[in-house]
Amino acid sequence: MKLLVCISKTPDTTAKISFKDDNTQFNGDGVNFILNPYDEWYALVRAIELKEQKGGTVTVVNVGDSSNDIIIRKALAIGADEAVRIDQLPNSSMDTAKQIANYAKSEAFDIIFLGKETIDYNGAEVGAMLSELLDLPYVSFASNMDSSADHFVLTRDIEGGVEEIKLNAPFVVSAAKGMAEQRIPNMRGIMMAKRKPLNVVAGIETSSRASVKSFTLPAEKGGVKMIDPDNMDELVRLLKEEAKVL
Amino acid sequence: MSVLIVAETQNNAIRSASNEAVYFGKKVAESLGVACSALIIGDADGGESLGTYGADKVLKVNTGGKGFDSQAHTQIIKQVAAQESASVIILMHSSAGKSLAGRIAIATDAGLVSGATALPSIEGSTMIVPKTVFSGKAIANYELTGDMKVITVMGNSLKPEAIGSAASVTEVSVDLPAFRTEVLGVKTQSGTVPLPEAELVVSAGRGMKGPENWGIIEELASELHATTACSRPVADIGWRPHHEHVGQTGVAIRPNLYIAIGISGAIQHLAGVNNSKVIVVINKDPEAPFFKAADYGICADLFDVVPKLTAALQKAK
Ligand SMILES: Cc1cc2nc3c(=O)[nH]c(=O)nc-3n(C[C@H](O)[C@H](O)[C@H](O)COP(=O)(O)OP(=O)(O)OC[C@H]3O[C@@H](n4cnc5c(N)ncnc54)[C@H](O)[C@@H]3O)c2cc1C
Ligand SMILES: Nc1ncnc2c1ncn2[C@@H]1O[C@H](COP(=O)(O)O)[C@@H](O)[C@H]1O
């Protein structure tokens, strides 16, 4: 099977978030960037497992500049066969989706994997956009993929439960926890990754009707009010009268 | 011009989360001085109630019993939006809403903001819409331009109020697209409000020592009519079901009240809960990082204090 995994780079969760240029740009100085966990742990590993089961190739694609090559090499070290970097700093999810669609449309991938969402913008937008651009079915937030038959049965997370969906390739899927178990790259993988192809291709002009105008930081908490453990009546009173949540 | 709201259904009923989307849509429609309609796709009953939360009209498209398919539903929504001359489409920031919004944005050449946390401010033909980013650590103000706009609304962003009266439901006809996926089944727990929509959440972590001790958590939750949640390690070792796991890798929630019991408050946990309106932390370690993110803190043994809290709530009824 010909498999594509879309991978992105995000700030580490522990990163301190700040902005520059009058709060219009994210300040990446001193921030540690990682391969987006959903892409790495679930989407990529499930694609590799599928290749191990049915044969084929796993290609990873990233839209971004050469500073992303580190995370791309990591994906190759985990087990992807080849990588494509679309050399463009995306200005929106729509831009990202259009860049990937433009590349994927002539490649006839059987399945395109994405992560559930990026942990920076938390949009879960790219997968849906890409599916529509490629006119493919889309199963979002999959927590299991049964690939034992010719068709696929995916389990998709919905509010308070799951839904089971049957479909045939080609399709697009976004991966949530449960899809696969994280794999740690080993020495051999890291050595092999250096020799695997990382093709850089040019991006296209795209337009988008949504852009970030400014960032703000949420209001600071007023500090914790400690309550005497022997006076839960007081907590109940505060929740009712002060916080007004009961 | 009009605003079109996509209502959600489950097990042949309207999901109550749709009320918030309808109310949000109505508020947007009011600022634009236009009407709003709510759309139901499928066989659900009870659409009349959407009028109560502000829908001027309720429309229904019968799909002959077929389940959710983002591709087919997008084609249906696109057709209804054209019939209604909609310029704004509102969905919930839910599993279905997120699967549809990006597709609709492409299909209708719209600007998209997913996960809006407040009503947009409207300036001529542009809208500024806030949403939280960086796992709750910041807010981004998005600008939407162009003739068509799609917004998904984060749960518990505004409280839906009954502002209208029941509306009649009109069947509309569209060209039914092909459904290329088949829903084999839907499994949901009944009785409790799903986590992303819960207003009150009682959550516990590794401080519980073992799954056999969860009785006190369930009693507190049932006293409050709250939904239960847990930290990630607790779900990973199988003490609690996977859908209860909140945090960066689990469900992100913003209830009115989040009670965290025996949870240390690691940054990855906070990422999913720090937008809760009020946070109560029960932990025996005064240095637990969660206290820094809390509104009310109780430094004590949870096995001692949780039953006391339940009793105090009972007494206060
Ligand atoms: C990439 C990544 C993603 C992650 N994603 C998530 C996520 O989505 N959600 C998540 O929750 N975690 C996540 N984690 C894990 C996270 O870092 C923490 O390890 C985890 O949240 C800790 O769980 P805990 O608070 O239940 O356990 P612990 O850290 O072990 O804390 C237990 C707490 O209970 C208290 N306690 C013990 N006994 C008692 C008692 N008798 N009475 C009162 N208090 C008591 C202790 O003082 C302690 O503070 C992630 C980690 C990584 C690296
Ligand atoms: N710059 C990018 N390059 C390649 N894939 C991306 C990029 N940004 C996002 N993705 C993919 O789209 C998914 C959803 O991202 P988002 O819509 O930003 O939440 C991610 O988990 C990735 O799989």
Side-chain angles (χ1 to χ4, degrees):
Chain A
M1 296 192 96
K2 207 170 154 180
L3 308 172
L4 180 69
V5 185
C6 304
I7 59 169
S8 53
K9 186 179 82 170
T10 55
D12 184 356
T13 350
T14 55
K16 184 152 172 40
I17 302 298
S18 65
F19 304 100
K20 60 182 185 189
D21 298 344
D22 222 9
N23 286 332
T24 58
Q25 297 290 327
F26 172 65
N27 181 3
D29 295 351
V31 169
N32 180 32
F33 286 92
I34 57 169
L35 183 51
N36 186 40
Y38 295 109
D39 308 354
E40 177 189 337
W41 303 348
Y42 309 130
L44 176 60
V45 177
R46 189 63 187 94
I48 294 168
E49 286 173 0
L50 196 58
K51 172 197 147 174
E52 288 166 352
Q53 179 200 354
K54 302 202 179 215
T57 54
V58 175
T59 306
V60 291
V61 64
N62 172 261
V63 187
D65 64 15
S66 59
S67 69
N68 290 5
D69 289 351
I70 305 176
I71 62 123
I72 298 174
R73 289 284 172 207
K74 181 170 188 196
L76 291 170
I78 292 170
D81 299 296
E82 55 170 14
V84 172
R85 181 166 59 76
I86 304 172
D87 196 14
Q88 176 99 3
L89 272 180
N91 57 33
S92 63
S93 309
M94 183 96 59
D95 189 12
T96 306
K98 286 179 178 170
Q99 303 291 349
I100 299 173
N102 178 57
Y103 158 72
K105 66 176 194 256
S106 52
E107 294 284 328
F109 289 105
D110 292 298
I111 305 178
I112 301 179
F113 291 80
L114 298 95
K116 166 179 132 170
E117 63 180 28
T118 45
I119 63 170
D120 48 4
Y121 289 90
N122 311 104
E125 294 176 354
V126 175
M129 289 174 171
L130 181 61
S131 324
E132 189 66 18
L133 287 163
L134 295 172
D135 196 21
L136 289 175
Y138 173 48
V139 177
S140 55
F141 322 126
S143 55
N144 189 54
M145 172 188 269
D146 180 348
S147 52
S148 55
D150 279 344
H151 62 261
F152 290 81
V153 176
L154 299 185
T155 307
R156 144 168 204 275
D157 289 347
I158 57 172
E159 286 71 27
V162 293
E163 189 169 74
E164 276 205 336
I165 292 160
K166 182 177 158 189
L167 79 173
N168 291 307
F171 60 87
V172 178
V173 58
S174 84
K177 183 185 167 198
M179 263 297 244
E181 290 289 331
Q182 182 181 5
R183 288 190 185 179
I184 311 288
N186 57 26
M187 214 44 212
R188 190 164 159 267
I190 295 167
M191 294 310 291
M192 277 169 58
K194 294 195 177 126
R195 294 196 300 272
K196 289 178 178 170
L198 194 175
N199 303 309
V200 179
V201 300
I204 51 166
E205 280 286 317
T206 74
S207 64
S208 167
R209 302 182 187 285
S211 59
V212 177
K213 273 280 134 199
S214 66
F215 292 98
T216 41
L217 292 171
E220 292 263 334
K221 285 261 169 195
V224 56
K225 196 176 258 187
M226 296 305 291
I227 315 279
D228 174 3
D230 289 323
N231 194 356
M232 283 302 101
D233 293 337
E234 174 65 1
L235 177 63
V236 173
R237 187 190 71 76
L238 288 167
L239 291 176
K240 284 191 168 173
E241 293 170 17
E242 188 178 78
K244 299 194 172 60
V245 288
L246 292 184
Chain B
M1 276 213 312
S2 76
V3 173
L4 180 68
I5 300 132
V6 181
E8 288 185 26
T9 67
Q10 200 168 76
N11 302 323
N12 292 331
I14 307 286
R15 291 187 57 230
S16 61
S18 301
N19 297 341
E20 186 173 357
V22 168
Y23 187 73
F24 191 102
K26 174 67 178 178
K27 292 283 157 195
V28 174
E30 279 175 356
S31 337
L32 293 170
V34 300
C36 69
S37 25
L39 169 65
I40 301 165
I41 303 174
D43 255 342
D45 299 322
E48 296 78 13
S49 67
L50 297 173
T52 320
Y53 293 96
D56 298 311
K57 290 199 277 194
V58 179
L59 310 170
K60 186 161 162 176
V61 171
N62 195 333
T63 55
K66 292 204 167 70
F68 178 73
D69 177 292
S70 64
Q71 194 174 25
H73 281 209
T74 296
Q75 288 311 311
I76 292 170
I77 293 163
K78 184 181 172 181
Q79 292 176 59
V80 176
Q83 289 173 14
E84 295 293 309
S85 336
S87 58
V88 182
I89 301 175
I90 307 279
L91 304 104
M92 278 313 285
H93 195 59
S94 59
S95 180
K98 287 185 252 186
S99 316
L100 287 169
R103 294 200 85 123
I104 299 171
I106 295 290
T108 63
D109 194 21
L112 166 66
V113 174
S114 43
T117 50
L119 287 166
S121 49
I122 300 172
E123 295 160 13
S125 64
T126 70
M127 286 188 184
I128 307 282
V129 191
K131 67 168 261 185
T132 51
V133 289
F134 299 108
S135 304
K137 285 192 266 186
I139 297 155
N141 301 299
Y142 276 77
E143 183 182 68
L144 292 181
T145 56
D147 296 337
M148 192 71 176
K149 301 175 175 79
V150 179
I151 300 173
T152 69
V153 183
M154 186 67 101
N156 291 333
S157 290
L158 83 179
K159 200 169 174 57
E161 286 167 31
I163 49 170
S165 52
S168 59
V169 179
T170 319
E171 285 236 4
V172 291
S173 68
V174 296
D175 291 334
L176 270 196
F179 281 62
R180 285 157 72 185
T181 66
E182 181 191 347
V183 176
L184 301 176
V186 177
K187 283 182 231 140
T188 50
Q189 346 114 264
S190 51
T192 53
V193 186
L195 262 183
E197 288 143 27
E199 290 185 9
L200 304 174
V201 174
V202 174
S203 184
R206 211 145 57 174
M208 295 298 295
K209 309 278 188 290
E212 66 281 5
N213 296 329
W214 243 264
I216 53 169
I217 300 299
E218 272 154 9
E219 281 159 26
L220 175 59
S222 104
E223 186 58 40
L224 283 164
H225 301 293
T227 302
T228 50
C230 68
S231 69
R232 174 170 154 184
V234 159
D236 280 353
I237 44 184
W239 292 1
R240 297 300 292 175
H242 147 66
H243 67 252
E244 277 196 3
H245 155 202
V246 290
Q248 185 208 310
T249 40
V251 188
I253 54 173
R254 40 183 294 139
N256 287 335
L257 175 62
Y258 183 73
I259 306 186
I261 299 166
I263 302 176
S264 57
I267 186 116
Q268 298 90 354
H269 183 85
L270 294 179
V273 305
N274 58 4
N275 281 301
S276 309
K277 289 200 183 88
V278 173
I279 296 179
V280 174
V281 168
I282 300 177
N283 198 305
K284 69 174 180 190
D285 173 9
E287 303 293 321
F290 221 144
F291 283 122
K292 289 200 184 70
D295 299 278
Y296 302 105
I298 302 143
C299 186
D301 188 327
L302 68 92
F303 295 103
D304 176 47
V305 81
V306 172
K308 283 186 186 158
L309 175 56
T310 309
L313 283 162
Q314 243 157 19
K315 208 173 75 187
K317 266 213 203 131

